Amino acid sequence: RIYRDELDKEDNLARGKKPLSETTWISWLCSLRGNEFFVEIPEEYITDEFNIFGLSSQVPYYDYALETLLEVPRETASDLTPEQQDMIESAAEMLYGLIHARYILTPQGLNAMRDKFCTATFGRCPRVYCAGFPLLPVGESDIHGTGSVKVYCCRCDDIYFPEFVGHGCLDGAYFGTSFPHVFLENFPEYHGSKASKIYTPKIFGFKLFSSKKLKSIENTKENHENSNKGNNNNNNNS
């Protein structure tokens, strides 16, 4: 679920039930603390069956979850137990997340995510030599429940945990493995130059050999010694 125990008590109370106002369920969900990575999906996108094809087999209580997203009046709501209501709410959040992963690959979704990228909503790269370059959300898997969302830096080509713990509790499948790369293909101006500078460890101004370099030196020395032994044996035989 997107509900998280790490968030403070006041925020958790606000998550208990959608406020009775003109705010839509989707707007309410996206406004919750920790859900800042989400963009709002237009209702017409969700009602297009092509866009949600195949999700009914992945989401429990699918019909109820879809009705929750679209705020369709439910005649049987009074027959549901509080536990069932919670499960439906959780399923609705999961369904929204999986639809979200598809929507952000569309032109409209990419533009919405661009606005967040430009304001560094997804955070900035913690690597010193990337100079605070804005990050993009990415999943390590497209399968729900496999792992949490990470953030990708196109300057150093690496991924990191989000700075705010609440963002790290979002499922990676809600953004997918392809999003940042599709985003940069569509907006190459945001790609940024590669961070070529690499930190060099030193002691009193002298560079330290890395373990790989030391191993390479040892292998070269060993090969040289073996070669000399072979030459000596050949000389003795002759």
Side-chain angles (χ1 to χ4, degrees), residues 14-162:
R15 287 169 167 263
K17 184 178 293 184
K18 176 183 172 295
L20 297 176
S21 68
E22 295 182 359
T23 302
T24 65
W25 188 91
I26 291 175
S27 295
W28 168 77
L29 179 71
C30 294
S31 69
L32 294 178
R33 184 179 176 215
N35 288 354
E36 291 87 354
F37 283 13
F38 280 145
V39 295
E40 292 192 28
I41 306 173
E43 184 175 314
E44 53 267 26
Y45 183 88
I46 299 174
T47 54
D48 187 332
E49 293 186 4
F50 176 80
N51 297 326
I52 59 176
F53 178 79
L55 295 181
S56 60
S57 61
Q58 301 180 44
V59 180
Y61 293 99
Y62 175 79
D63 291 332
Y64 284 128
L66 186 59
E67 289 176 354
T68 300
L69 260 64
L70 301 176
E71 297 185 293
V72 177
R74 192 182 303 148
E75 295 181 359
T76 58
S78 59
D79 298 332
L80 299 173
T81 65
E83 291 77 15
Q84 288 175 321
Q85 293 278 14
D86 287 342
M87 293 180 69
I88 290 171
E89 190 76 12
S90 177
E93 294 170 355
M94 176 182 174
L95 177 60
Y96 185 85
L98 295 177
I99 297 174
H100 185 269
R102 298 180 178 187
Y103 176 69
I104 59 176
L105 298 179
T106 68
Q108 296 85 356
L110 287 167
N111 283 326
M113 294 295 274
R114 178 178 60 177
D115 293 340
K116 289 182 176 287
F117 172 81
C118 290
T119 57
T121 299
F122 309 121
R124 296 183 180 276
C125 186
R127 186 174 180 272
V128 172
Y129 297 127
C130 287
F133 200 79
L135 301 166
L136 290 165
V138 65
E140 294 182 88
S141 172
D142 293 310
I143 301 174
H144 180 268
T146 304
S148 62
V149 67
K150 306 300 186 297
V151 282
Y152 167 77
C153 175
C154 62
R155 289 205 69 190
C156 61
D157 274 332
D158 212 343
I159 61 174
Y160 303 89
F161 290 103

Side-chain angles (χ1 to χ4, degrees), residues 227-238:
S227 178
N228 288 337
K229 287 181 182 179
N231 292 334
N232 291 335
N233 290 332
N234 291 333
N235 292 335
N236 291 335
N237 291 332
S238 59

Side-chain angles (χ1 to χ4, degrees), residues 163-232:
E163 182 178 358
F164 174 50
V165 65
H167 295 150
C169 293
L170 289 171
D171 199 286
Y174 296 165
F175 302 89
T177 57
S178 302
F179 167 69
H181 315 297
V182 173
F183 179 91
L184 293 169
E185 284 291 323
N186 282 269
F187 305 115
E189 65 271 23
Y190 297 130
H191 204 289
S193 58
K194 291 298 179 182
S196 57
K197 190 174 181 180
I198 299 174
Y199 172 71
T200 303
K202 298 178 181 179
I203 293 182
F204 301 123
F206 294 96
K207 294 181 181 179
L208 295 177
F209 281 114
S210 66
S211 57
K212 288 184 178 179
K213 286 185 177 180
L214 288 174
K215 188 173 182 180
S216 177
I217 293 172
E218 291 173 357
N219 289 337
T220 301
K221 183 178 180 181
E222 184 178 348
N223 291 336
H224 182 67
E225 290 175 351
N226 291 335
S227 178
N228 288 337
K229 287 181 182 179
N231 292 334
N232 291 335

